[in-house]
Amino acid sequence: MPGGQVSGAATVLRLVLGRRLQDLREAAGLSFEDAGHTLDVTHATIRRMEKAQVGLKVPYVEKLLRIYGVTDQREVDGFLDLVREANRPGWWHRYRDVLPDWFSAFVSLEAEADQIRAYEPHYIPGLLQTEAYAASVLRAGMPHAPASEIDRLVSLRLARQDLLSRKQPPLLWVVIDETVLRRPVSRPNVMRAQVSRLIETVAVPHVRLQIMPFSAGLHPAMYGPFHLFRFPVTELNDVVCAENLVGAAYFDQRDDVSTFREALDRMCAQAAPVHRTEAILSGIRKEI
């Protein structure tokens, strides 16, 4: 999926299974064409299965496992059980009426990551937004959307935040520009409440929030917002999501991901240290 779109239905488990199918095919010494011929499909279909760009069909996967040399029936059955699980809709499926395909993939990655790092130059990250702030941001970004759609999207955004209070939450490490905190929203009290929420969040052990002050000047990630996801499974590389006005690009090639990670590391070194965040936020709240 380097530099391209990930299917909206792609779950992390499906990405893992695709990677395992790729490893099995390569270990068997078979090409995309060989595997495709066995299923009577094109080589491109095999590629898309391995990249989680299409759903995994149980009969197809079972046949591939056989030709890849997996003969233990318990191993085959276990793999197929995982395929069925991967094909089940995620909790966010109930928001499919307002959820774009590209963002469905984002929510899946977010839900399964054990570390989420991000840079945000425009607004408070969704996982840390208050309800009123989220509504203001969504209305600004979607000026023609009906109120009912905005309400649904706000509900989705708040539901995503549940991952921060689960038993084993991910580490969330975010760098935001000072501009984010200075930009007016719909009403001053909305921004004041949002900053108060951030001050509360600073005390949460698995959340690290750093602010890039104006005084830091130029830095490596001024091209736009992005998230870097890391997962507790060895089969899956880190994945970066770089958002734009109409969607997002996803990257999982090591060189690409390393570029984003290095930019984050440099920004973390330039930004105010974590222990200064609460004082900075308190000062800004007094000015609102």
Side-chain angles (χ1 to χ4, degrees), residues 102 141 243-247:
W102 72 267
E243 297 179 46
N244 56 58
L245 192 60
V246 294

Side-chain angles (χ1 to χ4, degrees), residues 110 113-118 127 163 170-173 227-229:
E110 181 181 75
D114 65 353
Q115 183 182 118
I116 304 169
R117 298 183 66 186
L127 291 178
L163 68 86
L171 168 66
L172 177 64
W173 188 353
H227 284 68
L228 190 156
F229 302 100

Side-chain angles (χ1 to χ4, degrees), residues 36 59-60 70 104 125 138 141 163 181 207 214 218 264 269 276:
Y60 279 10
V70 181
S104 178
L138 288 163
L163 68 86
L181 302 168
V207 177
F214 293 139
L218 305 178
L264 274 171
R276 287 279 302 137

Side-chain angles (χ1 to χ4, degrees), residues 203-242:
V204 177
H206 53 274
V207 177
R208 299 177 188 171
L209 178 62
Q210 291 183 262
I211 298 168
M212 182 68 74
F214 293 139
S215 59
L218 305 178
H219 58 80
M222 293 185 297
Y223 299 98
F226 62 90
H227 284 68
L228 190 156
F229 302 100
R230 175 163 290 178
F231 307 93
V233 287
T234 57
E235 295 93 339
L236 193 59
N237 294 341
D238 292 355
V239 177
V240 169
C241 172

Side-chain angles (χ1 to χ4, degrees), residues 4 42 48 74 83 116 137 145-146 169 172 177-178 194 227 236 238 251 286-287:
T42 67
R48 288 194 290 267
R74 288 175 300 178
V83 169
I116 304 169
V137 169
L172 177 64
D177 271 342
E178 183 179 349
Q194 176 62 73
H227 284 68
L236 193 59
D238 292 355
F251 305 86
K286 291 177 182 177
E287 299 173 18

Side-chain angles (χ1 to χ4, degrees), residues 124-164:
I124 306 298
L127 291 178
L128 301 177
Q129 292 179 5
T130 64
E131 182 175 357
Y133 182 93
S136 297
V137 169
L138 288 163
R139 288 193 195 100
M142 305 173 65
H144 304 297
S148 58
E149 183 175 352
I150 297 297
D151 290 344
R152 291 280 288 156
L153 288 168
V154 170
S155 178
L156 168 63
R157 189 157 297 185
L158 298 179
R160 287 169 48 209
Q161 297 177 6
D162 288 344
L163 68 86
L164 293 179

